[in-house]
Amino acid sequence: MSTRSDRISADERREQILDAAIAVFGEFGYAGTSTDRVARAAGISQPYVVRLFGTKEQLFIETLRHTLERLLATFRAALPVDAEEASVEQRLGEAYLRLVEDRGVLLTLLHGFMLGSDPGIGPVARDGFLQVFRMLRDEAGLAPEQIHRFLADGMLINTLLATGIGVDAATDRDAADLMECTFGERVGEVLARASS
């Protein structure tokens, strides 16, 4: 018998489901994920997931929003600077690489952006991307060319990490060169994470 102190709040349960959904949507994509699969990953019943979120589409939308909130919070936490620290772009890039060590975060974002033409998911994905743009412009103070470079580099990094091309770097010289020209002096660290 569980006591009241053993129970978690509805907000905590919602976070638990969204965290499980990030992992499941990341691994199986939108088409390959069911509310039942998310419920099993969260250790709860499928009817409870449906009661909280409704349809799979609504669960994905909330998962995408949750992931975008994590991304923006991560970027905002990287903004404060001491005089001797790296540039804002470097700090944001480092923060992003740490965030997407959680492969579910990376892949959930990519699945959301790929569903940009979906009438329900597309508006959320587009709004999320614009929130990132506004944060980079208005809060980070980046100039247009810096924003362009940051977002373009970020999408290249997303593609390399999502495809797992770093795994091929040990046997394919072109894959190794692409990883090196993208990650520079951090390539060893990124490749070590890719192979683990």
Side-chain angles (χ1 to χ4, degrees), residues 121-169:
I121 297 167
V124 176
R126 289 188 296 275
D127 180 63
F129 204 84
L130 287 172
Q131 285 181 51
V132 172
F133 167 74
R134 286 188 288 268
M135 181 269 159
L136 294 171
R137 181 191 63 196
D138 301 339
E139 297 175 49
L142 298 183
E145 63 277 2
Q146 291 173 298
I147 295 170
H148 176 266
R149 182 176 55 245
F150 186 81
L151 292 175
D153 287 351
M155 293 312 267
L156 171 61
I157 288 168
N158 287 351
T159 301
L160 295 177
L161 295 176
T163 61
I165 203 164
V167 173
D168 295 337

Side-chain angles (χ1 to χ4, degrees), residues 94-193:
E94 292 289 326
Y96 184 71
L97 284 175
R98 284 191 303 276
L99 177 67
V100 297
E101 284 178 4
D102 178 342
R103 194 160 168 77
V105 168
L106 166 73
L107 295 175
T108 296
L109 289 170
L110 287 176
H111 289 303
F113 296 146
M114 288 188 316
L115 291 166
S117 63
D118 181 271
I121 297 167
V124 176
R126 289 188 296 275
D127 180 63
F129 204 84
L130 287 172
Q131 285 181 51
V132 172
F133 167 74
R134 286 188 288 268
M135 181 269 159
L136 294 171
R137 181 191 63 196
D138 301 339
E139 297 175 49
L142 298 183
E145 63 277 2
Q146 291 173 298
I147 295 170
H148 176 266
R149 182 176 55 245
F150 186 81
L151 292 175
D153 287 351
M155 293 312 267
L156 171 61
I157 288 168
N158 287 351
T159 301
L160 295 177
L161 295 176
T163 61
I165 203 164
V167 173
D168 295 337
T171 57
D172 184 323
R173 187 66 218 158
D174 291 336
D177 287 347
L178 177 56
M179 292 294 288
E180 188 171 338
C181 80
T182 302
F183 294 101
E185 63 190 37
R186 297 205 50 223
V187 70
E189 177 187 340
V190 173
L191 289 174
R193 278 191 244 145

Side-chain angles (χ1 to χ4, degrees), residues 75-86:
F75 282 168
R76 287 182 176 113
L79 288 181
V81 62
D82 292 328
E84 295 150 20
E85 286 191 38

